[in-house]
Amino acid sequence: MPVQPSAPISLSLPRRSPLFFRFTFHFLLFTFHFSLLTLLLACASQRPSEVTPQARATREIAPKVGLALGGGGARGFAEIGVLRVLEQERIPVDLAVGTSVGSLIGALYCDTGRVLDAEFQAVAVTEEDIFDYKALAILSGGLVKGERLEEFLNTHLKHKTIETMTVPFAAVAVDLMAGRAVAFERGSAAQAVHASAAIPGVFVPVEFGGRLYVDGGVLDPVPVDFARQKGAEVVIAVCIPPGPPAARPGNPVEVALQSVALMSAEMGAIKAKAADVVITPDVGGVPFDDFTQKKRLIDAGEAAARQALPAIRAVLANKAKRVPVEGAP
């Protein structure tokens, strides 16, 4: 029997609906995007983390401190007490400018930069070292020549010229011819202090360099301005208040001393307002020309300075600067 060919086998797939193909397309597209996102996240996780730069090391620079030491006759010895406290509290004094007795105290301190030396010399000063009355001095414009003052300084100062002193110093006097205050920053320390303390009508005006000089307190009793000019960023002023005379002034010298003291104290209080800190010792009833109460005056200066310490420290902290340390990463 002949073999009959079998019926052809149909290879056609069952028909799918359009919805099936659309679903399949979106599924594959989703799978592709998901795989791509997973790959990108994996790569991102392998990137090196960013390094946060470290802050540069810095150091603090303290502001330059200057003292403006005012006049006040014998009462100015209170300024030794102020210097004592600053040294004990390790508050550096980078420069000092003084007027009248302030120039004397300033020179004694700046000579070595040690308060003990200045105090020892200041205690040794007597009224005779300041007021060497000469009968014929009146013919030269005063009663006191001031030669003993220069002699005392030339004997006791280790550095005879201002520019060689341990701490930068200036003495303020008034140029009578020019009618202005000047600061001596070079030359003879004794002569500069003499000029700064030459009270008009009492001391003979000091002449050198073709100029006449009298007490700096006439125009600048508390030399804050000159301390700024010398580079002080913080100025501590010592302002000596006026005191009543021990008795009614009985001669021209006493009248002149008390008059100058009152005038300088009033003007000094105004000038001192330009300082960062003002220290006003309570010198009470110590007369302008009383050189016998130095211990009391020094103690008064010390007490006033201790009261001012919070204000001094606040100003120093406020004006301190921070600068990068050289060579630091």
Side-chain angles (χ1 to χ4, degrees), residues 249-265:
N251 59 60
V253 173
E254 292 177 351
V255 171
L257 286 173
Q258 184 62 19
S259 299
V260 169
L262 292 171
M263 178 184 65
S264 295

Side-chain angles (χ1 to χ4, degrees), residues 76-280:
F77 285 97
E79 293 167 341
I80 291 290
V82 173
L83 287 164
R84 180 194 286 175
V85 171
L86 296 179
E87 183 174 271
Q88 290 173 349
E89 298 298 324
R90 297 185 179 181
I91 296 172
V93 174
D94 298 294
L95 62 95
V97 182
T99 289
S100 198
V101 72
S103 72
L104 172 61
I105 301 301
L108 294 176
Y109 170 72
C110 292
D111 184 30
T112 65
R114 293 190 296 266
V115 175
L116 187 61
D117 293 340
E119 185 171 347
F120 179 79
Q121 304 295 354
V123 170
V125 176
T126 65
E127 183 176 356
E128 289 72 26
D129 290 320
I130 306 295
F131 301 106
D132 53 341
Y133 298 101
K134 303 287 184 180
L136 297 178
I138 189 65
L139 301 178
S140 300
L143 298 172
V144 178
K145 292 283 288 184
E147 294 172 351
R148 290 286 301 276
L149 176 59
E150 287 197 33
E151 181 182 337
F152 174 87
L153 289 167
N154 282 323
T155 301
H156 292 85
L157 290 178
K158 294 181 179 179
H159 301 89
K160 311 302 181 186
T161 56
I162 295 174
E163 63 271 23
T164 60
M165 287 185 164
T166 303
V167 177
F169 169 68
V172 175
V174 170
D175 183 335
L176 276 180
M177 308 299 292
R180 62 186 180 91
V182 296
F184 294 104
E185 301 181 67
R186 301 184 63 83
S188 168
Q191 198 170 40
V193 171
H194 179 189
S196 180
I199 303 168
V202 178
F203 279 78
V204 175
V206 179
E207 181 177 3
F208 57 90
R211 316 294 295 183
L212 282 177
Y213 298 96
V214 295
D215 195 305
V218 171
L219 292 178
D220 205 348
V222 184
V224 175
D225 48 352
F226 284 108
R228 298 269 189 216
Q229 290 177 25
K230 282 184 68 64
E233 297 166 300
V234 171
V235 177
I236 301 172
V238 185
C239 186
I240 306 298
R248 178 177 175 175
N251 59 60
V253 173
E254 292 177 351
V255 171
L257 286 173
Q258 184 62 19
S259 299
V260 169
L262 292 171
M263 178 184 65
S264 295
E266 284 297 314
M267 191 185 305
I270 297 172
K271 291 271 189 179
K273 291 180 180 179
D276 296 283
V277 179
V278 181
I279 298 175
T280 306

Side-chain angles (χ1 to χ4, degrees), residues 3-134:
V3 177
Q4 298 292 328
S6 60
I9 300 174
S10 176
L11 297 177
S12 61
L13 296 173
R15 294 178 62 84
R16 306 293 184 184
S17 67
L19 182 61
F20 173 80
F21 289 107
R22 190 178 299 126
F23 174 79
T24 302
F25 173 77
H26 284 292
F27 177 76
L28 293 173
L29 187 63
F30 170 77
T31 302
F32 171 74
H33 285 143
F34 180 78
S35 300
L36 181 61
L37 179 61
T38 302
L39 180 63
L40 291 174
L41 290 174
C43 293
S45 65
Q46 296 177 4
R47 291 177 59 190
S49 58
E50 294 183 0
V51 179
T52 304
Q54 295 182 349
R56 291 190 63 184
T58 60
R59 63 186 178 90
E60 184 175 280
I61 297 181
K64 183 178 288 188
V65 177
L67 294 184
L69 302 173
R75 295 194 299 275
F77 285 97
E79 293 167 341
I80 291 290
V82 173
L83 287 164
R84 180 194 286 175
V85 171
L86 296 179
E87 183 174 271
Q88 290 173 349
E89 298 298 324
R90 297 185 179 181
I91 296 172
V93 174
D94 298 294
L95 62 95
V97 182
T99 289
S100 198
V101 72
S103 72
L104 172 61
I105 301 301
L108 294 176
Y109 170 72
C110 292
D111 184 30
T112 65
R114 293 190 296 266
V115 175
L116 187 61
D117 293 340
E119 185 171 347
F120 179 79
Q121 304 295 354
V123 170
V125 176
T126 65
E127 183 176 356
E128 289 72 26
D129 290 320
I130 306 295
F131 301 106
D132 53 341
Y133 298 101
K134 303 287 184 180

